[in-house]
Amino acid sequence: MSYAPMEIIIGWLYPKLMSTYGDRGNVITIERRAQWRGYNVTVLPLDQNSTAEDIKSVDIIVGGGAQDRQQEIVMRDLQGAKAQSMRHKIENGTPGVFTCGSPQLLGNYYEPAFGKRIEGLGILDLVSVHPGENTKRCIGNLVIEVTASPLAAELQAMTGIKPYLVGFENHGGRTKLGKVAALGRVVYGLGNNGEDGTEGAFYQNAIATYSHGPLLPKNPFVADWLIQTALRLKYQQEIKLSTLDDTLAMQGREAMFKRLKVDLPN
Ligand code: GLN
């Protein structure tokens, strides 16, 4: 008897407008790590040519960073039935990784350096404000400890180590969280706003972060968490992913922690 391989559809938000900061590496990482395990993968761009039905069809959503102007175009396009679909997916546990500009548009609003406030989708209870052109951007390496529940415990169970993530931030906007949980706490860098020590947000199975890097090739176990969560939701069964050789990526993380003088707790 032969079985059709399981399939994952990755929905990639506005690849042309939201790829300024290299976050396509997140898409590639999920794609390859799923293919290496024998799953069929389709990458579906979700953009101006897509419908609400397209959004409904995806198993994982990836959204990258963008500059203010591009972000404004996206926010104007992601309205009505498409916005409803996005909300429905995230509310119902579709896993996703949203970086920098993407969380800003999933939040309540974003105030760019120039121009008027842009209303967000209001899925994540957070607001983002760019304090103006003369304010320093938040740029540099970023290390966070994931604290969000149950993500932190699940990542720790997968790896056997404390869920510290390395990345790189580059944003003007400052984010303040409302009722949504932070993704984690800043260990090195600035995070959401450089003031309250929070980084990113975590809601249902949506990971929102200021961490480019891109995030997933630097911390591949997060990609595995997304794949595993997507398969569980789609096929309604627990799926154990086979192990891949991540020696290089893990050595890269170690080197980064060392360089930034971050002590990893046991
Ligand atoms: N335009 C946003 C900001 O500067 C997002 C930047 C980004 O996605 N890296 O805050």
Side-chain angles (χ1 to χ4, degrees):
M1 217 184 342
S2 70
Y3 295 94
M6 289 181 175
E7 188 199 19
I8 291 178
I9 304 172
I10 304 171
W12 184 6
L13 289 178
Y14 300 84
K16 289 218 177 82
L17 293 167
M18 305 193 73
S19 290
T20 324
Y21 299 84
D23 297 311
R24 66 195 280 271
N26 288 339
V27 176
I28 297 168
T29 304
I30 299 169
E31 184 182 24
R32 293 286 189 277
R33 293 179 74 82
Q35 286 170 338
W36 286 334
R37 270 108 168 196
Y39 301 114
N40 278 346
V41 181
T42 303
V43 178
L44 185 66
L46 300 174
D47 57 17
Q48 289 102 321
N49 301 317
S50 312
T51 62
E53 290 303 312
D54 292 326
I55 298 176
K56 271 189 201 150
S57 72
V58 306
D59 304 309
I60 298 180
I61 307 171
V62 180
Q67 285 164 316
D68 286 12
R69 221 164 59 84
Q70 281 77 5
Q71 213 168 305
E72 215 170 322
I73 301 171
V74 170
M75 278 161 133
R76 254 186 272 125
D77 186 64
L78 209 48
Q79 302 282 339
K82 282 167 139 180
Q84 286 308 327
S85 264
M86 274 295 286
R87 179 186 311 280
H88 185 264
K89 293 299 280 185
I90 292 176
E91 293 288 354
N92 284 284
T94 301
V97 60
F98 302 93
T99 312
C100 205
S102 292
Q104 293 175 352
L105 68 90
L106 293 183
N108 296 327
Y109 61 79
Y110 176 58
E111 282 180 16
F114 300 102
K116 287 204 292 271
R117 175 186 283 194
I118 313 164
E119 294 303 318
L121 296 182
I123 300 172
L124 303 178
D125 187 15
L126 54 85
V127 299
S128 306
V129 176
H130 193 306
E133 242 220 323
N134 297 329
T135 333
K136 260 188 146 182
R137 285 180 75 79
C138 305
I139 304 179
N141 292 306
L142 181 62
V143 177
I144 70 162
E145 179 189 2
V146 176
T147 53
S149 176
L151 181 66
E154 290 178 5
L155 292 178
Q156 185 151 355
M158 284 170 82
T159 58
I161 54 172
K162 275 254 179 214
Y164 276 46
L165 308 181
V166 295
F168 188 89
E169 60 186 325
N170 184 354
H171 53 109
R174 275 40 170 196
T175 295
K176 289 268 163 72
L177 302 178
K179 286 194 200 78
V180 69
L183 173 64
R185 68 172 185 94
V186 176
V187 176
Y188 185 99
L190 296 164
N192 282 341
N193 49 55
E195 286 168 9
D196 63 15
T198 64
E199 206 297 299
F202 183 69
Y203 180 62
Q204 303 295 29
N205 286 318
I207 295 173
T209 180
Y210 269 118
S211 199
H212 303 286
L215 182 78
L216 300 183
K218 287 193 168 181
N219 309 278
F221 49 88
V222 181
D224 288 355
W225 181 86
L226 292 165
I227 294 169
Q228 202 160 6
T229 305
L231 290 173
R232 188 192 299 133
L233 196 68
K234 184 168 186 169
Y235 294 100
Q236 296 291 311
Q237 54 177 287
E238 204 49 53
I239 292 178
K240 190 157 170 34
L241 297 180
S242 54
T243 311
L244 299 174
D245 182 1
D246 287 329
T247 313
L248 261 182
M250 297 315 261
Q251 280 173 351
R253 278 166 41 93
E254 290 302 320
M256 205 59 187
F257 292 140
K258 210 163 147 192
R259 205 181 119 204
L260 302 176
K261 299 190 173 44
V262 168
D263 282 327
L264 263 193
N266 295 317

